[in-house]
Amino acid sequence: MIAFYLKKVLGMLLMPIPLTLMLLVAGLLLLRRWPRLGRGLIGAAALWLALTSWHPVADRLLAPFEDNYPVFDLSQPVEVVVVLGGCHASDNSVPPAGQLCSSSLFRLTEGLRILAANPQALLTVSGYAGSDARPHAGVMQEIAISMGVAPQRIRAFPQARDTAEEAALLAPLLQGKAFALVSEASHLPRALPFFTARGLAPLPAPAMKMSSPDSDWRLEARAALKSERAFYEGLGRLWQWLRHGSG
């Protein structure tokens, strides 16, 4: 439990924007006593924010995490479609799909595309509630049913807090079965080892890709989001190696 929350807190602090704020605060605190160092930190913070918010830099940071797997081939039959959990915010004033963050919406959409090509396959959704009133798996299940998936074709795992727990909870269902593992292109290289370590043979199904070989030259929040994703996956792989010796 402590390790789980430590991972979350450290992951939040080591993202590009929090790092920028920490550099700025440190620079301001040091400005009076050590003005050159203070100004240097403030300048470094401004440069860091600019670079991580610039598409050419952000694309190059993220691309190595995304260039591993092609779009899933629908001619490849599967018995289970595993949609990994993401994030949502319960809000009865918007439709269920509008409560999903964009990555989860892309994951579910790709999962439903693969499920439609495999009429006998099961769909699994996972994810705990966190600070929300509803577990993520329940929201995903509701949306899948509203999109025409029969309830008996869906297995929900609302206890899973991260990918390692998803693999552990799903392993009994997936043993000996061909299954598509659906997540962002950047997440799949880190997610797959959790499943293969349990003797499973996942078929990677990237749901979205954010980086582009033809970078936009603007400084904007979309580029900062790409950099954040690259940092998130880089830190995730480091944590995976420290905890599990793989990835």
Side-chain angles (χ1 to χ4, degrees):
M1 181 68 73
I2 294 175
F4 175 78
Y5 287 108
L6 177 64
K7 176 182 71 171
K8 293 293 184 183
V9 171
L10 287 177
M12 177 186 69
L13 292 176
L14 295 176
M15 291 296 104
I17 291 177
L19 281 174
T20 299
L21 293 175
M22 287 189 285
L23 284 172
L24 281 173
V25 170
L28 290 170
L29 291 174
L30 295 171
L31 200 55
R32 178 170 294 181
R33 189 166 183 180
W34 292 291
R36 290 184 63 184
L37 178 58
R39 288 194 297 270
L41 288 175
I42 292 170
L47 180 61
W48 175 257
L49 181 62
L51 288 174
T52 55
S53 301
W54 191 37
H55 283 286
V57 171
D59 284 329
R60 281 156 183 76
L61 287 173
L62 184 56
F65 296 99
E66 293 192 326
D67 292 340
N68 294 277
Y69 307 107
V71 174
F72 190 83
D73 182 0
L74 292 182
S75 67
Q76 189 170 220
V78 295
E79 298 167 83
V80 186
V81 178
V82 176
V83 177
L84 295 179
C87 51
H88 74 281
S90 294
D91 183 352
N92 292 329
S93 67
V94 298
Q99 299 174 36
L100 296 178
C101 61
S102 60
S103 61
S104 290
L105 184 58
F106 281 118
R107 291 182 192 192
L108 184 58
T109 301
E110 177 62 7
L112 294 179
R113 184 181 80 96
I114 298 170
L115 193 73
N118 295 272
Q120 305 306 315
L122 290 175
L123 172 70
T124 74
V125 290
S126 52
Y128 77 133
S131 59
D132 199 89
R134 298 181 63 194
H136 185 70
V139 177
M140 299 278 269
Q141 183 177 29
E142 178 187 354
I143 297 168
I145 292 171
S146 73
M147 297 296 289
V149 181
Q152 61 269 25
R153 294 183 68 193
I154 306 173
R155 300 289 184 273
F157 295 83
Q159 306 89 354
R161 298 178 301 172
D162 57 20
T163 311
E165 292 187 5
E166 287 173 313
L169 289 168
L170 286 161
L173 173 67
L174 300 175
Q175 289 291 343
K177 291 186 173 69
F179 67 97
L181 186 65
V182 185
S183 190
E184 291 99 320
S186 60
H187 181 227
L188 282 171
R190 182 164 59 91
L192 287 163
F194 287 117
F195 289 83
T196 56
R198 295 183 176 275
L200 305 172
L203 300 170
M208 64 177 290
K209 182 177 179 179
M210 297 173 64
S211 64
S212 170
D214 301 313
S215 295
D216 187 317
W217 282 78
R218 288 178 293 178
L219 287 164
E220 60 178 5
R222 286 193 304 119
L225 183 60
K226 294 178 186 179
S227 294
E228 180 180 290
R229 188 69 205 174
F231 272 65
Y232 183 86
E233 286 305 324
L235 290 168
R237 290 197 193 184
L238 176 61
W239 182 263
Q240 183 180 45
W241 178 79
L242 292 172
R243 294 278 293 172
H244 305 279
S246 63

